[in-house]
Amino acid sequence: MSDYTQITNAFINLDQPTVYKLVEEAIGQNCDPREILDKGLTPGMDVIGEKMRDEEMFLPDVMMAATTMKGCIDMLKPHLKGQDNISKGTVVLGTVQGDLHDIGKNLVTLMLASNGYDTIDLGVDIAPETFINALIENNANVLCLSTLLTTTMPTMVKIMAALEEAGIRDKVTVLVGGAPVNQDFANQIGADGYAPDAASAAQLVKELFETCAA
Ligand code: B1M
């Protein structure tokens, strides 16, 4: 399948059965699962976001879209998985306190797991101390923080401070992501990196572990 617009259109129309059917067909045709996500589903979600901003769509619609997206990710999951089952390191992830968005963060988790990393996904609305405890308990040295809301960006600053307070800042590499954050923000708060999407997050983590091992 080279044209994913049917999936995008059905997604925007909140036509869940058609989206599932088309995704199933695309999988059956051996389409690249990342293309199904990046060219079919994500552009649809972007339009939903615009409609939400312009008050043409409301929370129940957006929740419906989110459910469809999650259903599709579940369908794509087995096809995104890599062959490599040997753990290459442990990464703690979560969406910061005050933020309930988890679709992008789940994709980052999936992409890291597919690339052979152990992932401790704490979920959404995670307090700074929960991140700290998880890092210590799992002896993890990479932390991936996600937020989709501008109002919760300051929580990332609090997490950086909590890492310092716990005395583990120099042992943990912190990567940030999510629509409102960027490289400048990562620099400002003293994070070690920013990834615009799940694939780049996995690539960044890979480079980090390779640098540490060298
Ligand atoms: Co919300 N929401 N939402 N929402 N929602 C946005 C984010 C918004 C931009 C919509 C809009 O107004 N245009 C807006 C935020 C405005 C702002 O602050 N700048 C917004 C708002 C305002 C809200 C509420 C406040 C609405 C309300 O209640 N009035 C509310 C907040 C609730 C809360 O969190 N406390 C709310 C609620 C919801 C739903 C629950 C209905 C639902 C979330 C369901 C869920 O996640 N389980 C939802 C949705 C679905 C969206 C949009 C439409 C889509 C988000 C999404 O899943 N995108 C979104 C608009 C948009 O983004 N276009 C919107 C698909 C996903 C694959 O992309 O999450 O960006 P994304 O992840 C990407 C990258 O960002 C990156 O990789 C991923 C893919 O490769 N990435 C990382 C993400 N995390 C990373 C971490 C990393 C690296 C990369 O670590 C290193």
Side-chain angles (χ1 to χ4, degrees):
M1 191 186 277
S2 56
D3 179 10
Y4 292 95
T5 48
Q6 271 184 294
I7 294 180
T8 311
N9 290 338
F11 191 89
I12 297 165
N13 291 332
L14 303 176
D15 183 355
Q16 192 182 71
T18 304
V19 177
Y20 286 166
K21 185 174 102 14
L22 292 170
V23 168
E24 188 90 63
E25 277 172 20
I27 293 170
Q29 290 164 15
N30 288 325
C31 294
D32 181 344
R34 285 195 199 174
E35 278 203 355
I36 301 175
L37 259 177
D38 294 345
K39 297 188 179 171
L41 298 165
T42 305
M45 190 57 113
D46 286 343
V47 174
I48 301 274
E50 286 158 24
K51 286 182 181 285
M52 183 184 182
R53 184 198 55 215
D54 299 339
E55 298 187 350
E56 288 170 30
M57 271 191 177
F58 299 95
L59 278 188
D61 304 320
V62 185
M63 286 172 91
M64 173 70 179
T67 308
T68 304
M69 184 79 162
K70 285 187 171 187
C72 291
I73 291 172
D74 283 344
M75 288 162 75
L76 294 170
K77 226 180 242 179
H79 306 276
L80 282 162
K81 283 237 183 292
Q83 301 299 310
D84 191 352
N85 288 324
I86 302 160
S87 175
K88 296 175 179 167
T90 303
V91 183
V92 169
L93 306 94
T95 302
V96 304
Q97 195 163 40
D99 190 342
L100 302 175
H101 295 86
D102 68 351
I103 297 173
K105 183 263 303 161
N106 293 349
L107 277 177
V108 176
T109 304
L110 181 61
M111 214 55 92
L112 286 169
S114 312
N115 280 279
Y117 298 98
D118 278 336
T119 51
I120 315 285
D121 185 345
L122 300 174
V124 296
D125 193 18
I126 303 303
E129 57 273 22
T130 309
F131 283 114
I132 306 297
N133 292 341
L135 286 162
I136 295 171
E137 278 162 22
N138 296 288
N139 199 21
N141 51 2
V142 178
L143 175 62
C144 288
L145 299 173
S146 177
T147 193
L148 270 274
L149 299 173
T150 42
T151 47
T152 47
M153 287 166 68
T155 309
M156 289 190 172
V157 181
K158 288 188 191 158
I159 296 165
M160 298 306 295
L163 286 163
E164 291 284 357
E165 259 170 52
I168 57 169
R169 175 65 189 101
D170 57 340
K171 296 184 187 74
V172 179
T173 300
V174 184
L175 306 180
V176 295
V181 307
N182 55 28
Q183 186 62 55
D184 283 349
F185 178 73
N187 297 343
Q188 258 175 45
I189 69 168
D192 302 289
Y194 156 74
D197 54 50
S200 339
Q203 183 58 35
L204 248 182
V205 170
K206 183 169 174 256
E207 284 163 17
L208 275 168
F209 276 110
E210 278 171 2
T211 314
C212 296

